[in-house]
């Protein structure tokens, strides 16, 4: 299938194709209440860290990385709140071999009562250390990277992934190809300080390896998982190899590739994943392309599905879904939200109309018409009341958005509730309390605030 064909299918197939293996579990990508993507916005290369009370997801900001990382936290895996990190930044983690590339592909782990983050800055790997998952973080090695960009000429020194074995020994995996040509995977033991190599790195490259190594131990065996193909199109996928030691050797698994595109169900380019265990089950977090698919931009979103193991002990093929695993569907994300009707000054098209902000689906969003000068978005509460709060999930959590929030009893006379036109607001959700009695709430954006787009807007 050509890329143009994939785009067509993505934009026109809104139901499962008869006979497709995933037919029984699939719904339209833009159906209300779809749990996948499970985080609003564009992120890739996720790392999952669990503490006793919270789960944290660290990820690359799309497109192609930012000057820092995305970070989200949740107590239930359904409701996520964006948090700002002080490190890594392009300014704090840079060297003569960094180039102008941005920050990519974090891997975060807890050990020795502290937290360690391994992250790519261009084609090199830096290490950060903190006493808490949200920091403050700092360079663990001062002003130098753990792995410089010229460590293995001819290969990308990126996508470092740390693995902590059940005996407490830590290992670091990394490596990628260049120019979409398959690369090499390296591994090394780490000393207890987590920043010193214990011996020389080994080349443990399995078959069909391009990038994004991830080690997962199950049933006493070691599964080296990784991605192959181009993350920009439908060829990207997740594969795995099996070994009896974290240092290999590895043979490619009988069910590899594990996770591939499903264009008929609007799922394109799944890959660069992480796995975590919860409640006796395993789950895979991976990125795939936002919808409708746009071949001119790389904007990926984070999704989650269950990873199962067969009687032979090997992982089974994964059916990527819009519904996600059961743990994402325990309660609707917008539970408790008031029933409202959303309207707008304009909409870009039917796929991006105002009703998308109330559909509890992070794959959809409202965008005003391109020629709109002072766009507004409005919620009708259907009766006069005093909401306790309102929550807005803008397209980019880290970008400051300028707007005014207005309220009205009758839709004709408006009063200002909050004015953020001067400096803008960042975060997700942006939460506003202290609301007056009203039937209508309206967000008004200044003429210079373009483009603006919103995933969800709820009142409670």
């Amino acid at each position: 299938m050509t890329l143009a064909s994939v785009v067509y299918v993505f934009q026109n197939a809104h139901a499962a194709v008869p006979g497709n293996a995933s037919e029984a579990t699939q719904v339209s990508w833009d159906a209300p209440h779809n749990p996948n993507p499970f985080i609003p916005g564009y992120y890739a290369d996720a790392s999952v860290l669990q503490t006793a009370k919270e789960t944290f997801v660290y990820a690359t900001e799309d497109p192609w990385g930012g000057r820092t990382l995305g970070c989200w936290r949740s107590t239930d895996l359904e409701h996520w709140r964006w948090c700002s990190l002080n490190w890594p930044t392009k300014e704090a983690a840079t060297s003569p071999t960094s180039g102008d590339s941005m920050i990519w592909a974090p891997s975060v782990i807890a050990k020795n009562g502290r937290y360690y983050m391994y992250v790519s800055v261009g084609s090199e790997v830096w290490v950060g250390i903190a006493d808490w998952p949200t920091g403050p973080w700092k360079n663990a090695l001062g002003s130098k990277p753990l792995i410089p960009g010229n460590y293995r000429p001819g290969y990308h020194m990126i996508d470092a992934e740390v693995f902590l074995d059940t005996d407490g020994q830590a290992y670091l995996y990394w490596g990628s190809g260049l120019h979409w040509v398959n690369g090499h995977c390296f591994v090394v033991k780490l000393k207890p300080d987590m920043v010193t190599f214990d011996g020389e790195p080994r080349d443990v490259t399995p078959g069909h390896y391009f990038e994004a190594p991830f080690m997962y131990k199950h049933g006493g065996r070691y599964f080296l998982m990784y991605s192959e193909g181009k993350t920009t199109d439908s060829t990207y996928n997740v594969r795995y190899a099996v070994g009896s030691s974290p240092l290999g050797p590895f043979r490619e698994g009988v069910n590899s590739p594990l996770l591939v595109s499903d264009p008929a169900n609007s799922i394109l380019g799944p890959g660069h994943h992480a796995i975590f265990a919860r409640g006796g089950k395993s789950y895979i977090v991976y990125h795939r392309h936002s919808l409708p698919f746009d071949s001119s931009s790389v904007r990926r979103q984070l999704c989650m599905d269950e990873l199962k193991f067969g009687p032979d002990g090997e992982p089974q093929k994964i059916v990527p879904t819009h519904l996600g695993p059961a743990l994402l569907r325990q309660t609707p994300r917008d539970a408790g939200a008031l029933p409202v009707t959303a309207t707008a000054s304009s909409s870009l098209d039917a796929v991006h109309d105002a009703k998308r902000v109330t559909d509890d689906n992070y794959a959809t969003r409202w965008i005003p018409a391109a020629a709109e000068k002072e766009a507004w978005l409005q919620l009708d509460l259907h009766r006069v009341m005093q909401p306790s709060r309102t929550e807005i999930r803008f397209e980019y959590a880290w970008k400051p958005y300028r707007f005014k929030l207005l309220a009205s009893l009758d839709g004709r006379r408006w009063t200002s509730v909050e004015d953020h036109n001067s400096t803008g607001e960042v975060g997700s959700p942006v939460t506003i309390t202290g609301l007056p009695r009203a039937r209508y709430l309206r967000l008004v954006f200044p003429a210079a605030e373009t483009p603006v787009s919103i995933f969800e807007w709820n009142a409670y």
Side-chain angles (χ1 to χ4, degrees):
M1 178 176 286
T2 66
L3 187 57
S5 298
V6 171
V7 174
Y8 177 82
V9 171
F10 259 58
Q11 295 178 337
N12 293 277
H14 295 290
V17 173
N20 188 285
S22 57
E23 179 179 3
T25 60
Q26 291 291 22
V27 296
S28 168
W29 70 270
D30 60 350
H33 304 293
N34 280 354
N36 270 338
F38 68 95
I39 284 176
Y42 313 117
Y43 300 94
D45 319 328
S47 178
V48 180
L49 173 72
Q50 297 186 95
T51 68
K53 294 183 178 180
E54 287 186 281
T55 300
F56 296 83
V57 169
Y58 307 82
T60 302
E61 293 180 342
D62 257 353
W64 295 127
R67 304 193 75 82
T68 185
L69 291 171
C71 177
W72 294 78
R73 61 196 303 177
S74 174
T75 58
D76 60 8
L77 295 183
E78 296 177 277
H79 303 87
W80 295 86
R81 183 171 296 275
W82 177 82
C83 47
S84 177
L85 297 177
N86 73 300
W87 187 97
T89 65
K90 181 64 175 174
E91 292 74 20
T94 192
S95 81
T97 63
S98 300
D100 58 0
S101 296
M102 294 293 103
I103 295 173
W104 304 326
S107 176
V108 186
I109 198 170
K111 192 182 181 193
N112 307 327
R114 307 190 80 179
Y115 297 90
Y116 298 87
M117 181 189 296
Y118 304 81
V119 65
S120 300
V121 184
S123 187
E124 59 189 26
V125 175
W126 287 70
V127 186
I129 188 169
D131 293 324
W132 184 247
T134 56
W137 291 85
K138 64 180 180 181
N139 288 346
L141 293 173
S143 59
K144 66 176 183 178
L146 174 66
I147 304 173
N150 57 6
Y151 182 76
R152 287 288 189 274
Y155 301 102
H156 267 321
M157 298 296 101
I158 63 171
D159 294 352
E161 183 68 36
V162 63
F163 166 68
L164 188 62
D165 205 348
T166 48
D167 62 1
Q169 177 63 56
Y171 300 82
L172 191 69
Y173 301 80
W174 75 94
S176 173
L178 284 168
H179 311 301
W180 306 117
V181 176
N182 281 355
H184 279 236
C185 180
F186 304 98
V187 61
V188 70
K189 280 186 177 182
L190 293 176
K191 290 187 176 181
D193 65 6
M194 299 296 285
V195 295
T196 305
F197 288 177
D198 187 359
E200 286 297 313
R202 300 187 187 186
D203 187 331
V204 291
T205 307
H208 304 286
Y209 176 90
F210 179 65
E211 64 182 6
F214 188 92
M215 175 57 70
Y216 192 65
K217 188 177 184 180
H218 181 84
R221 289 194 283 178
Y222 297 86
F223 296 92
L224 177 58
M225 309 175 81
Y226 47 96
S227 291
E228 187 191 32
K230 295 177 67 173
T231 191
T232 56
D233 63 29
S234 62
T235 63
Y236 208 53
N237 64 81
V238 174
R239 312 184 77 95
Y240 78 99
V242 189
S244 58
S245 160
L247 296 174
F250 297 99
R251 63 160 179 85
E252 189 163 10
V254 296
N255 292 321
S256 187
L258 277 178
L259 178 63
V260 300
S261 293
D262 184 359
N265 284 306
S266 306
I267 294 170
L268 186 69
H272 200 137
H273 70 291
I275 301 172
F276 70 97
R278 193 181 185 96
K281 296 183 177 181
S282 298
Y283 300 94
I284 182 169
V285 173
Y286 58 95
H287 65 240
R288 65 195 196 202
H289 281 277
S290 62
L291 300 172
F293 176 65
D294 180 1
S295 60
S296 67
S297 176
V298 177
R299 293 190 298 184
R300 298 160 291 185
Q301 294 189 285
L302 297 182
C303 297
M304 183 191 307
D305 282 294
E306 187 174 349
L307 171 64
K308 297 180 180 180
F309 288 81
D312 60 356
E314 299 221 2
Q316 297 179 325
K317 287 186 179 291
I318 300 160
V319 177
T321 70
H322 303 301
L323 292 175
L327 59 77
L328 292 185
R329 305 193 300 272
Q330 297 176 30
T331 57
R333 286 183 299 219
D334 60 353
L338 297 170
V340 298
T341 299
T343 55
S345 55
S346 67
S347 295
L348 181 64
D349 51 39
V351 177
H352 300 96
D353 60 14
K355 68 182 180 183
R356 304 296 180 172
V357 302
T358 61
D359 65 359
D360 186 31
N361 184 340
Y362 294 154
T364 64
R365 56 195 170 94
W366 165 73
I367 306 176
E372 184 72 70
K373 297 300 182 183
E374 291 187 342
W376 56 260
L377 180 67
Q378 180 174 298
L379 297 183
D380 181 354
L381 309 180
H382 302 300
R383 63 184 177 89
V384 174
M385 61 182 304
Q386 187 170 9
S388 62
R389 73 185 190 280
T390 187
E391 295 183 352
I392 312 159
R393 288 172 172 82
F394 289 104
E395 185 176 17
Y396 296 95
W398 48 265
K399 175 183 174 180
Y401 286 91
R402 297 186 299 138
F403 66 92
K404 285 184 180 180
L405 176 63
L406 308 179
S408 174
L409 294 168
D410 57 11
R412 296 188 299 272
R413 296 179 296 274
W414 297 87
T415 58
S416 178
V417 178
E418 287 198 9
D419 187 339
H420 297 285
N421 274 346
S422 297
T423 58
E425 280 288 290
V426 299
S428 184
V430 172
T431 302
I432 299 174
T433 58
L435 302 175
R437 285 177 56 80
R439 174 173 171 174
Y440 302 94
L441 298 176
R442 179 179 285 188
L443 297 174
V444 180
F445 301 92
E449 189 66 4
T450 55
V452 64
S453 186
I454 295 177
F455 282 107
E456 294 291 314
W457 183 23
N458 296 117
Y460 297 85

